[in-house]
Amino acid sequence: MSRDNNSGRPKKPRSSTRNNSDDSRASKSGNSSGSKPFKKPFPKAGERNSDSKRSGTSYQDRMDKKFGKTEQDSFITSPGEEKKPFGKSAPKRGGSRPNSFDTRDKYERGSLKYGRRPGSGDDKNQDGAKSFVQKRRLNKIEKDIHKDTIRLNKYIANSGICSRREADELITQGLVEVNGKVVTEMGYQVQKTDKVVFDGQNITPEKPVYVLLNKPKGYISTTKDDKARKTVMDLVANASPYRVFPVGRLDRSTTGVILLTNDGHMTKKLTHPSFDAKKIYHVTLDKKLTHEDMKLIAEGIRLDEGVAVVDQISFIEGKPKNEVGIEIHIGWNRVIRRIFQRLGYEVEALDRVMFAGLTKKNIKRGHWRILTELEVNNLKML
């Protein structure tokens, strides 16, 4: 105990003075215990505003009321069973428990994100929606085929001459005739039975189609036959929605390459002798061909139409002497058979292996294929 320097009496500790002041404060505030201070300690987490007697509502209730949320009521499935909150609780990371989330439940209940079950009828509707554009295009093509009238510029464009915009320019220039009259009106409607002429040639409102067929034996090269015999049209029935026609003819017993198309201009070009459409045949004779007769054929054999000019003739390498290859450009009826018959030979088999640069490579007998753009361009350049 320390002494006072002035009086020499022992100095009292300050704690007693503070205790007395605390007691006096407690008496004034009504707290008679004198052991506990008036100020309360700060509440722990989760215990804040637990004594809501003066306000009547808890802190969570005030927050729910402020933000418009209502607490979900719990439910009981059966009497005596413990109450469980509605819904599933989120799983804890790094551990699993019986009530944890199962991915299979997602597919059993369906995807909540899209509000449907995977593999349900909605998927089929989506697949139908994806193919809607394709179906619309096919329907448009069918409508064009069965439509009675068509705009003149589209008529010209479908014939393969030019585009619609270029066709409008040709119409305004007076280069198109319909049924013998010049038409310069834009948007003029044309019937499919009308005769449309451009640059002195008849045109059709169909896109050009070129089908290359490897003709088998026993078929005739016509569109129809009065004797109900098989025709090449039976072999290419599914090749095009438009009607195609054979370019030139092959005998019923002759096999090989034949072209079918709806392009009248191309047909006229390939069948006219002035365009020199080359044709190569593989000829099988009933006997060996002599060198003298081969020389006579190369010089030209006179027939009823005139002298049959042969471009080339030779034996086939690796084959017997009764098999020869011959190249011609004339298109007379049965001209190959008549040339050899004039010299005393009979043609047992005749196969055309090339026509206007087109071969039967990779085409089985009785099958067909559509020409490529390169092949079509080569035909147009002849």
Side-chain angles (χ1 to χ4, degrees), residues 287-299 301 313 339-340 343-345:
K287 56 184 178 181
K288 295 181 180 181
L289 180 65
T290 63
H291 291 278
E292 292 79 7
D293 293 338
M294 181 179 290
K295 186 177 180 180
L296 293 175
I297 294 174
E299 293 176 354
I301 301 297
I313 183 172
I339 287 175
F340 287 98
L343 299 177
Y345 298 90

Side-chain angles (χ1 to χ4, degrees), residues 312-378:
Q312 292 183 7
I313 183 172
S314 63
F315 293 105
I316 300 176
E317 185 178 358
K319 298 291 183 179
K321 298 300 181 181
N322 66 326
E323 297 185 19
V324 296
I326 183 171
E327 178 182 337
I328 62 174
H329 65 272
I330 56 178
W332 299 346
N333 186 27
R334 298 174 59 89
V335 60
I336 299 294
R337 297 181 184 274
R338 288 191 294 158
I339 287 175
F340 287 98
Q341 287 177 358
R342 183 61 62 91
L343 299 177
Y345 298 90
E346 290 293 334
V347 177
E348 294 182 349
L350 184 62
D351 182 50
R352 185 160 71 179
V353 298
M354 193 272 286
F355 172 71
L358 304 173
T359 64
K360 60 178 183 178
K361 184 179 180 181
N362 299 329
I363 305 178
K364 296 181 180 180
R365 191 63 56 85
H367 290 70
W368 54 267
R369 68 174 178 86
I370 302 297
L371 295 187
T372 62
E373 293 183 3
L374 180 60
E375 292 172 334
V376 175
N377 293 334
N378 292 335

Side-chain angles (χ1 to χ4, degrees), residues 172-199:
T172 55
Q173 295 176 6
L175 301 177
V176 182
E177 296 181 2
V178 179
N179 297 329
K181 297 181 180 180
V182 178
V183 176
T184 59
E185 177 185 353
M186 302 301 296
Y188 185 83
Q189 295 289 331
V190 182
Q191 296 183 358
K192 292 186 177 181
T193 56
D194 294 340
K195 182 180 179 181
V196 181
V197 178
F198 168 72
D199 196 16

